[in-house]
Amino acid sequence: MRPVALLIALVLGLGGIAFAQESGIGGFDRDALAAREEFRLGVQAYNRSAFNEAILSFERSLSFKPGEALILDWLGRAYYRSGMEDTALRQWRSAVDAYGPSSRETLVLSSRIETVRNRRSLFPSLDDEIRYVEAGTYPGLSGDIRIYRQPTTVLPLDDGSVWVVAYGSNEIVRIDVNGIVRQRQRGPLNGFDRPYDMVRGQDGRLYLSEFRGGRVSILSSQGEWQGYIGSKGRGEGMFIGPQNLTIDAEGYLYVVDYGNKRISKFDPDGAFVLSFGGRSEGFAGLLSPTGIVAREGRIYAADSLARRIYIFDSNGDYLGILISEGLRGPESLTLLDDGRILASDANRLLIIDPNSALIRELGLLGNPRVRIAGARADGNGNILAANFEGDEVSVMTPLDDMAAGLFVQIERVISDNFPRITVEVQVQDRRRRPIVGLDARNFLITEEGRTAGERNFLSAAFLSETSDISILLDRSPAALSMQPDLNVAIRDIRAAGSRIVSLISAGEQPLRERIEGSAPSLSALTAAARGSSSSYSLRWRFDMGLRLAATDLLNGAKKRAVVFVSSGNLGELAFEQYGLSELAAYLANNGIIFYGVMLGGNPASEEIRYLCEQTGGQVLSLYRSEGITPVLKGLNTKAVGSYTLSYRTGLPTDFGRAYLPVEAEVYLMERSGRDATGYFPPIE
């Protein structure tokens, strides 16, 4: 091809993006050519997760082509992933103005702006007014096909699916987020006999009460029957109509024995411990016990006939009444992550604060036939309500989330195997909570409005059992005096089993300590962590060290965390270059969890606690009785809303200089979301 022809091809090969236009005097706009080249470099840097490099390229591109909507859009993306959300929002608003009010790009971008802006000001509290509405159902009857009958409770799983306990059809049924039945279990040879409630023990085993069978079945984590606890009768450890169950912090099982009007306690191996709930001094006794939940050494038990919730200690001693008014007929009680209690009460879902005894109505079912026998929160921010009378499980979603839809981000486009394109998509709700359990049916990939060809669903990160950790080391003089504790911390972090990507020394000039491979020996890792006395300084830099530690995780496993080993105080230069909110956003917007490991029994600073809260992490004292290893092992089971798909593009490449668009749409029941981006193919 002649040089002139090649130049024309490069200028025009932009996939419809008008960077280069004729100058009007027979030549070409050199500024537009320069803008296009810098834009191409910026897109490629972004897809390598080199966000600072991408920002520089997009800024240079804008200097040649001010006000170009697509460049502004991408610049906002790069600032967002860098944690600079205010700057990102400004760029996106400018892009909306440049795109125009009626363009398809404006619709996508406006939704993104609204979600990010609202999310940054959303801090739900106990007195908020969030309402849950029905977003869909898992029906027991589909046409003439009976799926299950009379659900009494649900047990959400980490993969987004849920066990439905079907009292009427004597089975438990596992249903995925799309309402597809994945598994059925009907128990041993003689089957379940009116199963009622199910909970998960600390070892992963499941316990299933059988109302008419007068027993509790022990199941494996996969639902296979293993044995029984108890039998029908009135003696110790026996039942007449066992219903609701709960597990306390020590692994003890509590069973509501409806027919005997009592609660029985069993150790983790199923041995009977004691019963309580009968008449005693100051307590008339349970009349119709239903829901039960354990919290901080106390047992809360609902009584549907008395319309009350009582309090006992773990030894069965009566402590008083939590709720005496405002209930219609309470059934299930479930402990939420924030310490509040979710209660089902006739056709209502209630939130109860055990500290203040305040009740707030969360939502209700308006179906003609309603009795919510059980309700639990799932990992996607929903509440699943088992409607016994209506023969279905209702999926209840916050009203605002229904309106906002799903927050979908195409995080990365990989074109190395062109024309086979790989797309990494992040799916969250508007509060940054990951949406798990999706599969190929939930995604639509399009190019220029046409469905992409040869689509494949490659992976879902929530199913992965691998994780990456970057260790960040406090290099303050205070940390220097805590070397024995540091050795213990490094040992326990290594024992968690995650791949150690890097060891960052946060000195005056943060640097990567040298470690060999992803599984270095404990002695080598400990020696590198100790460093030398010159590594420690009053001018140590937490902010720069954290950025470096987080950056090392960007192209690794989707389950990832920075583990900060600290004396507890961040020093005077902690936020000299990067602010606290910017650091929190950098971690959260890239799916990185922050853990603070405290040496010497010292408390964590407010800044460390903030970073943990904003990213789903935790402050860990090195002296906690169970150690820090179990918590860090939990990284492998963290919910992650990242999905990888591939397709074969049919778009022309123009010698690798064309900007090729791609759009991802995600659908889940009544909610949806989409994102549009693009990429450059390899230069031919």
Side-chain angles (χ1 to χ4, degrees):
M1 179 177 291
R2 293 188 303 169
V4 172
L6 176 60
L7 176 61
I8 293 172
L10 296 180
V11 171
L12 297 180
L14 300 172
I17 307 303
F19 279 115
Q21 298 178 359
E22 294 186 12
S23 65
I25 55 174
F28 290 92
D29 187 338
R30 294 183 181 276
D31 284 348
L33 287 173
R36 179 198 52 75
E37 180 58 19
E38 290 292 349
F39 176 73
R40 184 178 68 84
L41 294 174
V43 170
Q44 292 176 333
Y46 182 94
N47 284 322
R48 296 196 311 273
S49 301
F51 303 124
N52 288 342
E53 181 183 336
I55 288 171
L56 292 175
S57 291
F58 292 138
E59 293 280 15
R60 285 195 292 263
S61 183
L62 275 177
S63 71
F64 291 111
K65 195 74 171 176
E68 180 67 41
L70 188 63
I71 306 174
L72 290 165
D73 190 343
W74 273 93
L75 181 58
R77 287 177 181 269
Y79 274 123
Y80 175 79
R81 296 291 296 278
S82 292
M84 305 176 192
E85 292 185 338
D86 285 330
T87 307
L89 289 169
R90 286 198 297 272
Q91 304 303 325
W92 286 335
R93 291 188 188 104
S94 297
V96 165
D97 292 339
Y99 277 132
S102 59
S103 71
R104 183 178 178 85
E105 292 83 0
T106 291
L107 294 175
V108 174
L109 194 48
S110 296
S111 176
R112 190 189 311 157
I113 291 170
E114 182 179 4
T115 298
V116 174
R117 185 186 65 222
N118 289 341
R119 187 174 63 195
R120 299 177 74 237
S121 62
L122 282 175
F123 297 97
S125 60
L126 291 177
D127 60 352
D128 57 24
E129 294 300 324
I130 297 174
R131 295 285 299 177
Y132 280 69
V133 296
E134 193 171 12
T137 63
Y138 301 145
L141 184 67
S142 178
D144 296 329
I145 300 174
R146 173 61 65 181
I147 301 173
Y148 61 83
R149 291 185 65 245
Q150 295 177 315
T152 46
T153 196
V154 294
L155 182 65
L157 303 178
D158 292 337
D159 65 359
S161 65
V162 56
W163 281 113
V164 176
V165 176
Y167 178 93
S169 49
N170 283 326
E171 61 187 340
I172 58 174
V173 182
R174 188 169 67 85
I175 300 176
D176 69 15
V177 295
N178 294 306
I180 306 300
V181 173
R182 295 298 184 183
Q183 188 179 355
R184 291 181 187 273
Q185 295 288 352
R186 294 189 171 94
L189 186 62
N190 58 328
F192 297 133
D193 195 354
R194 300 305 180 192
Y196 198 91
D197 194 16
M198 184 160 63
V199 294
R200 182 185 296 105
Q202 292 183 343
D203 61 359
R205 288 187 299 176
L206 307 176
Y207 298 93
L208 178 71
S209 62
E210 297 183 49
F211 184 83
R212 196 162 64 186
R215 62 202 178 205
V216 174
S217 274
I218 305 172
L219 313 177
S220 73
S221 60
Q222 302 302 313
E224 293 93 358
W225 184 83
Q226 295 182 335
Y228 290 125
I229 295 174
S231 59
K232 190 176 294 187
R234 297 193 177 276
E236 291 186 345
M238 303 177 77
F239 310 108
I240 295 178
Q243 290 191 167
N244 296 79
L245 310 172
T246 194
I247 302 282
D248 70 11
E250 296 179 336
Y252 286 90
L253 171 69
Y254 297 79
V255 182
V256 171
D257 187 356
Y258 182 83
N260 287 317
K261 300 182 181 179
R262 66 188 181 190
I263 296 166
S264 293
K265 178 179 179 179
F266 298 83
D267 71 16
D269 294 323
F272 175 76
V273 178
L274 56 87
S275 292
F276 60 92
R279 182 184 295 274
S280 63
E281 184 177 353
F283 180 51
L286 295 170
L287 300 176
S288 178
T290 50
I292 186 170
V293 69
R295 176 185 182 269
E296 297 179 354
R298 294 188 169 191
I299 308 301
Y300 299 87
D303 191 311
S304 61
L305 189 60
R307 299 181 181 178
R308 290 179 173 180
I309 297 177
Y310 298 109
I311 309 172
F312 303 87
D313 67 17
S314 58
N315 294 318
D317 295 324
Y318 174 69
L319 300 179
I321 301 174
L322 175 66
I323 304 293
S324 60
E325 297 179 349
L327 300 176
R328 300 173 183 171
E331 296 211 37
S332 72
L333 302 179
T334 304
L335 188 65
L336 299 176
D337 290 341
D338 60 10
R340 294 182 293 174
I341 295 172
L342 171 66
S344 61
D345 183 43
N347 70 331
R348 303 185 299 167
L349 296 172
L350 306 176
I351 287 288
I352 300 172
D353 179 9
N355 298 317
S356 64
L358 291 176
I359 302 175
R360 183 173 66 82
E361 185 175 287
L362 201 62
L364 54 86
L365 295 182
N367 312 46
R369 300 169 58 198
V370 178
R371 175 191 157 198
I372 305 177
R376 287 194 172 108
D378 73 2
N380 287 336
N382 305 308
I383 292 175
L384 306 179
N387 183 357
F388 182 86
E389 296 292 344
D391 250 1
E392 63 186 16
V393 173
S394 292
V395 181
M396 307 289 287
T397 298
L399 179 60
D400 290 347
D401 285 358
M402 283 287 290
L406 301 173
F407 185 52
V408 177
Q409 300 174 81
I410 299 176
E411 293 193 315
R412 191 177 176 203
V413 180
I414 304 169
S415 60
D416 296 349
N417 296 319
F418 191 89
R420 173 61 62 178
I421 306 301
T422 300
V423 181
E424 295 179 358
V425 183
Q426 182 73 231
V427 187
Q428 301 172 323
D429 69 8
R430 69 191 187 100
R431 290 186 179 86
R432 204 185 267 119
R433 292 176 300 201
I435 303 298
V436 301
L438 306 181
D439 58 32
R441 286 165 297 186
N442 300 100
F443 291 86
L444 176 64
I445 304 295
T446 59
E447 299 177 300
E448 295 183 336
R450 296 186 295 271
T451 301
E454 296 183 28
R455 300 179 305 281
N456 291 301
F457 184 88
L458 301 182
S459 65
F462 69 89
L463 295 174
S464 172
E465 296 181 354
T466 61
S467 57
D468 286 350
I469 280 178
S470 183
I471 302 174
L472 176 64
L473 300 167
D474 177 339
R475 292 307 194 195
S476 67
L480 178 60
S481 65
M482 300 177 182
Q483 292 295 316
D485 277 5
L486 175 62
N487 295 342
V488 173
I490 296 301
R491 180 200 67 194
D492 290 355
I493 293 169
R494 184 177 181 272
S498 296
R499 183 172 71 111
I500 297 175
V501 173
S502 61
L503 191 70
I504 305 300
S505 178
E508 285 190 46
Q509 293 295 325
L511 54 84
R512 297 179 180 89
E513 298 287 355
R514 185 173 180 180
I515 55 176
E516 298 296 334
S518 59
S521 68
L522 179 59
S523 59
L525 191 61
T526 302
R530 283 198 301 266
S532 63
S533 58
S534 62
S535 304
Y536 297 82
S537 168
L538 286 171
R539 297 183 59 80
W540 71 289
R541 297 297 301 277
F542 170 75
D543 57 349
M544 294 177 63
L546 180 55
R547 291 283 296 201
L548 182 57
T551 299
D552 285 347
L553 296 168
L554 293 179
N555 288 323
K558 297 302 182 182
K559 295 181 178 180
R560 50 203 184 195
V562 171
V563 180
F564 177 45
V565 183
S566 172
S567 63
N569 194 317
L570 297 182
E572 295 181 359
L573 301 180
F575 306 106
E576 187 77 5
Q577 184 167 340
Y578 299 99
L580 177 61
S581 61
E582 186 177 318
L583 290 170
Y586 184 52
L587 296 174
N589 293 347
N590 290 287
I592 300 172
I593 297 169
F594 183 85
Y595 293 99
V597 176
M598 300 298 103
L599 305 178
N602 293 334
S605 68
E606 290 301 315
E607 293 86 353
I608 293 174
R609 293 188 179 279
Y610 176 81
L611 289 169
C612 291
E613 291 167 0
Q614 293 297 305
T615 62
Q618 191 174 338
V619 173
L620 303 173
S621 170
L622 194 62
Y623 298 142
R624 65 202 308 264
S625 58
E626 62 270 44
I628 66 174
T629 301
V631 174
L632 296 181
K633 280 185 175 180
L635 181 61
N636 287 331
T637 60
K638 283 283 187 178
V640 178
S642 181
Y643 301 85
T644 304
L645 304 96
S646 74
Y647 66 95
R648 180 175 292 274
T649 182
L651 298 178
T653 68
D654 288 324
F655 309 100
R657 298 289 180 171
Y659 175 80
L660 305 182
V662 58
E663 183 170 314
E665 296 185 61
V666 182
Y667 303 90
L668 178 60
M669 290 194 171
E670 299 299 320
R671 302 164 67 188
S672 64
R674 59 190 170 117
D675 190 21
T677 183
Y679 64 95
F680 285 90
I683 295 177
E684 297 178 8

